[in-house]
Amino acid sequence: MCRQKLSKENQAKQFFRLGEQYTETAKLLLNTLINHGNSNAGFGKTPEEAQQEMEKNASKSDLYLFVPAIFNCLQSTELLPKGLLLLAGKTIQRSHGVEELLKDIAMSYKEDSEVYQVLNDFYEYQIGIIETYKQTNDIANSYDLYMSLRYPQITLKPKEGEKKGKQITVDYTGLLCNGEHGIEQFKILLEKLERVKVATVKVYHDRC
């Protein structure tokens, strides 16, 4: 039985729905990090009580939640632009290259459009937060970045002149235990993420 081919508009809706799920998950994780103070310290009358308190606090800190939070942010920054491009009647590539997607958004919706501006701002802020992490792990492209946030051991894409990419055990240290500084970053991420959602919904309602 042949499946009926979806129109570009219906394909766009699928990307928006999934993108929204990643967006809401990111917001839930970021709010948890903020509301619980992003601390993995623990105090108690006994060493056992202190250990229990530390484990409880750590479970709601960036020691546990920031890697999935930033992954969900990045995933939404891939899916929402793909939905926007489909809505504009464009054909999308099956890749993780957010930089290329944003260039396509700038061409399809204009560089001074609200939706391009907020998407680009959100993505650049995310990359700014994890720049040290990328350098530590020698990550130079979107594909390796995505893989590194999904798996603790990956093979990097070969660089120019290399026949084979090197295998690495991912070092997540730069994304963990950032305390109050981390909270400020999480708040800004939340604010920018909400702007992306509002701008995307506005385009969708204008075009559908």
Side-chain angles (χ1 to χ4, degrees), residues 13 28 180:
K13 287 179 181 178
L28 179 63
E180 292 184 3

Side-chain angles (χ1 to χ4, degrees), residues 6-150:
L6 291 174
S7 67
K8 289 281 179 68
E9 182 179 323
N10 284 328
Q11 290 180 56
K13 287 179 181 178
Q14 291 185 326
F15 277 87
F16 287 140
R17 287 194 192 104
L18 192 56
E20 184 177 23
Q21 290 175 43
Y22 280 105
T23 297
E24 292 305 312
T25 303
K27 287 168 63 177
L28 179 63
L29 291 169
L30 291 168
N31 273 314
T32 299
L33 287 163
I34 294 165
N35 294 337
H36 289 86
N38 195 35
S39 170
N40 57 12
F43 303 94
K45 295 179 181 179
T46 66
E48 291 76 16
E49 284 185 6
Q51 179 68 24
Q52 288 178 354
E53 184 69 14
M54 182 181 72
E55 291 176 358
K56 179 182 176 182
N57 290 336
S59 69
K60 295 177 180 178
S61 76
D62 57 6
L63 191 63
Y64 281 78
L65 300 184
F66 186 61
V67 172
I70 198 68
F71 176 80
N72 279 278
C73 286
L74 287 166
Q75 195 69 1
S76 69
T77 318
E78 175 188 345
L79 291 169
L80 295 177
K82 285 182 175 179
L84 289 165
L85 290 171
L86 286 164
L87 203 59
K90 306 297 181 183
T91 300
I92 58 172
Q93 301 297 318
R94 297 191 179 278
S95 72
H96 297 298
V98 176
E99 294 91 347
E100 294 304 315
L101 285 171
L102 291 174
K103 288 178 184 177
D104 292 340
I105 292 291
M107 291 179 63
S108 298
Y109 289 88
K110 297 184 179 179
E111 197 167 335
D112 62 352
S113 65
E114 180 186 12
V115 74
Y116 169 76
Q117 293 289 333
V118 296
L119 277 166
N120 189 60
D121 181 54
F122 181 47
Y123 180 65
E124 286 189 350
Y125 189 74
Q126 293 173 71
I127 295 302
I129 290 176
I130 61 177
E131 187 59 41
T132 300
Y133 164 80
K134 288 176 60 186
Q135 292 176 6
T136 299
N137 291 287
D138 201 20
I139 292 171
N141 58 74
S142 295
Y143 178 82
D144 288 342
L145 176 58
Y146 275 84
M147 291 300 104
S148 76
L149 294 171
R150 294 175 64 190

